[in-house]
């Protein structure tokens, strides 16, 4: 039978759940949105959607799958007229009902149409949803984003912008939003700036996107990032900036620099590619090893491996060759063939490995299953020694801010110390970048313990917001456990 699966080496990576894009004031706005979403495809590969506005009517097309294949047909783009559009790519839940969660979500409010695309996660969505249900709200999806629509719809304020602000003051967590209304395009970033959002200009049009690479692809000039806690309103009068939330010390996601963002993006004014090279150089200083060759785990390990090789003086080689032409669907008649599927995506380049002491560079270890396969591949290709260096600290904690992380019990570093991880992966040595080393690669002297400069909760367990839903769920589980014991 045919089975939909992730790429063999990608199912052990943290997945950024969303990418967003917005345009105001451009002919063919939907086509621009499709191009921008294509550049953001790495942020979400399960579903995509675009909503446009022609000055009178909103038009939407949402579909499961990649941007290409859904938005590369003229007939689809023609059904999305207007000079304003927003778009979204996401990792979604599986199953027949998944389309109802594909964004942008749209609703007809008393003030007119309202479409929203969201990158992040509302960490009190279940709590708020329960209260909205009690007051009579009926939800059409299981997405936390729909909570925002209902809060806007039920706000007692009259002006639409005030209703949006009122809604966002009731939510916790991470959000970068683009919202399309008959009053203009609204964009907003949460007060901590956990998820990225940037602003660009293309002729007379304004462009918003999760990353600068999307601006590059559509021929837009990067202007600046949307600041943490900032809201911008774009309409025929131009662009207006508001600061409706209480100012807080920003805590942007540090893992954007490690893995999520494309290396050709600028993030917080820094080149993602250069930061990753800095990470590799810092890793070489912290954890050197007597070896013959530095090999990245492609593609995410490439820049860090270059930095490691340059700092250590060891040669850099492509010892693992990645095929970019593996489809997501192929026949899997049994375990023997399924295991061979790994080599469809990555294969060892034996001539640069055989007889060599190899340093493998990867960005992170999540479950550890990928690392086991890669090390085995190196051994089978004749490596004399295999050392692994990880370009981030151990990932010990789940993310509640819009990243698809396994539950903590499935994170290898949450269950084992580095020595046990080394034995499990079967490497000759294993080392991770220190948390201060990561901050140094970002141009900081060190991590400020009292007021960390980034959200690094996946490494430290120090979450910058309340986790209302998680806390209430844990409390409910405790009550069930107590009740079972009492029974």
């Amino acid at each position: 039978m045919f089975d939909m699966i992730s790429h063999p080496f990608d199912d052990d990576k943290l997945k950024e759940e969303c990418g967003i894009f917005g345009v105001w004031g451009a002919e063919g706005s939907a086509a621009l949105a499709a191009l921008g979403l294509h550049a953001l495809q790495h942020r979400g590969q399960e579903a995509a959607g675009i909503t446009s506005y022609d000055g009178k009517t909103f038009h939407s097309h949402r579909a499961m799958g990649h941007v290409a294949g859904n938005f590369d047909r003229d007939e689809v783009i023609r059904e999305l007229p207007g000079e304003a559009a927003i778009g979204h790519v996401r990792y979604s839940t599986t199953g027949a009902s998944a389309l109802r969660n594909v964004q942008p979500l749209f609703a007809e409010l008393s003030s007119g149409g309202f479409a929203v695309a969201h990158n992040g996660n509302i960490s009190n969505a279940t709590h708020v949803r329960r209260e909205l249900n009690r007051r009579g709200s009926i939800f059409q999806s299981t997405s936390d984003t729909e909570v925002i629509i209902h809060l806007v719809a039920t706000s007692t304020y009259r002006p639409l912008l005030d209703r949006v602000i009122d809604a966002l003051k009731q939510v916790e967590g991470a959000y970068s939003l683009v919202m399309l209304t008959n009053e203009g395009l609204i964009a907003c970033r949460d007060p901590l700036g956990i998820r990225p959002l940037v602003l660009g200009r293309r002729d007379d049009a304004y462009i918003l996107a999760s990353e600068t690479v999307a601006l590059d692809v559509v021929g837009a000039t990067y202007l600046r990032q949307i600041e943490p806690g900032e809201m911008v309103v774009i309409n025929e009068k131009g662009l207006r900036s508001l600061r409706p939330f209480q100012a807080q010390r920003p805590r942007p996601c540090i893992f954007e620099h490690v893995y999520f963002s494309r290396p050709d993006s600028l993030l917080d004014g820094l080149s993602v590619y250069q930061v990753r090279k800095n990470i590799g150089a810092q890793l070489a200083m912290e954890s050197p090893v007597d070896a013959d060759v530095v090999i990245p785990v492609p593609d995410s390990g490439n820049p860090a491996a270059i930095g490691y090789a340059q700092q250590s003086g060891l040669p850099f080689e492509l010892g693992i060759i990645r095929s970019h032409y593996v489809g997501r669907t192929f026949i899997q008649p049994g375990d023997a063939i399924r295991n061979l599927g790994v080599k469809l995506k990555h294969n060892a380049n034996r001539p640069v490995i055989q007889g060599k002491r190899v340093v493998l560079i990867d960005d992170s270890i999540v479950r550890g299953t990928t690392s086991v396969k890669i090390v085995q591949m190196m051994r089978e290709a004749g490596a004399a020694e295999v050392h692994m260096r990880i370009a981030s600290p151990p990932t010990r904690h789940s993310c509640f801010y819009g990243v698809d992380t396994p539950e903590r019990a499935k994170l290898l570093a949450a269950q084992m110390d580095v020595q046990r991880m080394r034995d499990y992966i079967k490497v000759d040595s294993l080392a991770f970048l220190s948390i201060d080393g990561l901050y140094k690669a970002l141009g900081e002297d060190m991590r400020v313990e009292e007021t960390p400069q980034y959200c690094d909760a996946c490494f430290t367990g120090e979450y910058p917001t309340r986790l209302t839903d998680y806390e209430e769920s844990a409390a409910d589980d405790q009550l069930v456990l107590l009740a079972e014991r009492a029974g």
Side-chain angles (χ1 to χ4, degrees), residues 186-242:
I186 304 169
C188 188
R189 200 170 169 205
D190 71 75
L192 294 174
I194 296 174
R195 292 279 150 247
L197 188 61
V198 296
L199 175 69
R201 197 80 188 261
R202 184 182 186 271
D203 300 325
D204 295 329
Y206 283 102
I207 310 289
L208 291 146
S210 293
E211 294 183 37
T212 61
V213 66
L215 304 181
D216 297 337
V217 166
V218 302
T221 301
Y222 170 65
L223 296 179
R224 62 179 180 86
Q225 68 172 350
I226 301 299
E227 295 296 330
E230 182 184 12
M231 177 178 285
V232 298
V233 181
I234 305 169
N235 53 31
E236 63 277 358
K237 297 177 183 178
L239 183 146
R240 180 162 60 110
S241 173
L242 307 169

Side-chain angles (χ1 to χ4, degrees), residues 19-23 28-41 47-53 57-68 70-73 76-90 99 102-106 115-117 178 180 218:
I20 60 176
F21 189 89
V23 53
S29 62
L32 280 180
L35 284 173
L37 293 178
H38 196 278
L40 299 172
Q41 187 76 85
I50 294 174
T51 297
S52 69
Y53 180 59
T57 306
F58 291 83
H59 310 267
S60 291
H61 184 81
R62 301 180 299 160
M64 304 302 297
H66 288 188
V67 178
N70 283 306
F71 291 96
D72 56 356
R73 304 192 305 276
V76 172
I77 298 300
R78 281 197 302 269
E79 292 174 359
L80 298 167
E83 295 187 355
I86 61 173
H88 190 268
V89 290
R90 78 187 297 262
L99 189 60
V102 178
Q103 298 183 33
L105 298 182
F106 177 79
V116 59
V178 285
L180 189 57
V218 302

Side-chain angles (χ1 to χ4, degrees), residues 25-293:
E27 285 189 26
S29 62
L32 280 180
L35 284 173
L37 293 178
H38 196 278
L40 299 172
Q41 187 76 85
H42 59 288
R43 299 183 73 88
Q45 299 179 19
E46 298 295 336
I50 294 174
T51 297
S52 69
Y53 180 59
D54 62 10
K56 294 182 179 179
T57 306
F58 291 83
H59 310 267
S60 291
H61 184 81
R62 301 180 299 160
M64 304 302 297
H66 288 188
V67 178
N70 283 306
F71 291 96
D72 56 356
R73 304 192 305 276
D74 288 341
E75 61 269 25
V76 172
I77 298 300
R78 281 197 302 269
E79 292 174 359
L80 298 167
E83 295 187 355
I86 61 173
H88 190 268
V89 290
R90 78 187 297 262
Y91 281 101
S92 71
T93 55
T94 57
S97 64
L99 189 60
R100 66 179 178 161
N101 291 323
V102 178
Q103 298 183 33
L105 298 182
F106 177 79
E108 286 285 357
L109 306 183
S110 58
S111 57
F114 184 86
V116 59
H118 170 210
N119 175 208
N121 187 62
I122 305 303
S123 58
N124 66 335
T126 301
H127 177 89
V128 175
R129 184 187 185 107
R130 191 180 298 125
E131 177 61 23
L132 286 165
N133 281 146
R134 193 182 63 78
R135 286 156 46 187
S137 291
I138 300 172
F139 284 76
Q140 302 298 317
S141 77
T142 57
S143 169
D144 61 326
T145 309
E146 193 178 358
V147 166
I148 295 172
I149 293 179
H150 283 271
L151 288 173
V152 174
T154 57
S155 173
T156 56
Y157 288 84
R158 290 181 67 90
L160 175 61
L161 196 59
D162 289 345
R163 292 163 70 180
V164 171
I165 293 168
D166 180 42
L168 295 179
K169 285 182 176 179
Q170 297 177 62
V171 300
E172 302 167 358
Y175 55 83
S176 283
L177 301 164
V178 285
M179 295 163 277
L180 189 57
T181 78
N182 54 10
E183 297 181 14
L185 176 61
I186 304 169
C188 188
R189 200 170 169 205
D190 71 75
L192 294 174
I194 296 174
R195 292 279 150 247
L197 188 61
V198 296
L199 175 69
R201 197 80 188 261
R202 184 182 186 271
D203 300 325
D204 295 329
Y206 283 102
I207 310 289
L208 291 146
S210 293
E211 294 183 37
T212 61
V213 66
L215 304 181
D216 297 337
V217 166
V218 302
T221 301
Y222 170 65
L223 296 179
R224 62 179 180 86
Q225 68 172 350
I226 301 299
E227 295 296 330
E230 182 184 12
M231 177 178 285
V232 298
V233 181
I234 305 169
N235 53 31
E236 63 277 358
K237 297 177 183 178
L239 183 146
R240 180 162 60 110
S241 173
L242 307 169
R243 296 298 184 111
F245 310 110
Q246 183 177 349
Q248 299 184 48
R249 185 181 295 273
R251 295 280 298 275
C253 171
I254 205 165
F255 214 87
E256 291 278 356
H257 289 282
V258 172
Y259 176 68
F260 295 141
S261 293
R262 262 180 51 164
D264 46 345
S265 281
L266 294 173
L267 190 61
D268 306 319
L270 302 172
S271 160
V272 174
Y273 178 77
Q274 187 59 52
V275 166
R276 289 177 187 167
K277 283 182 64 180
N278 295 348
I279 286 172
Q282 183 68 31
L283 187 57
M285 289 187 280
E286 291 183 1
S287 301
V289 61
D290 288 330
D292 302 309
V293 63

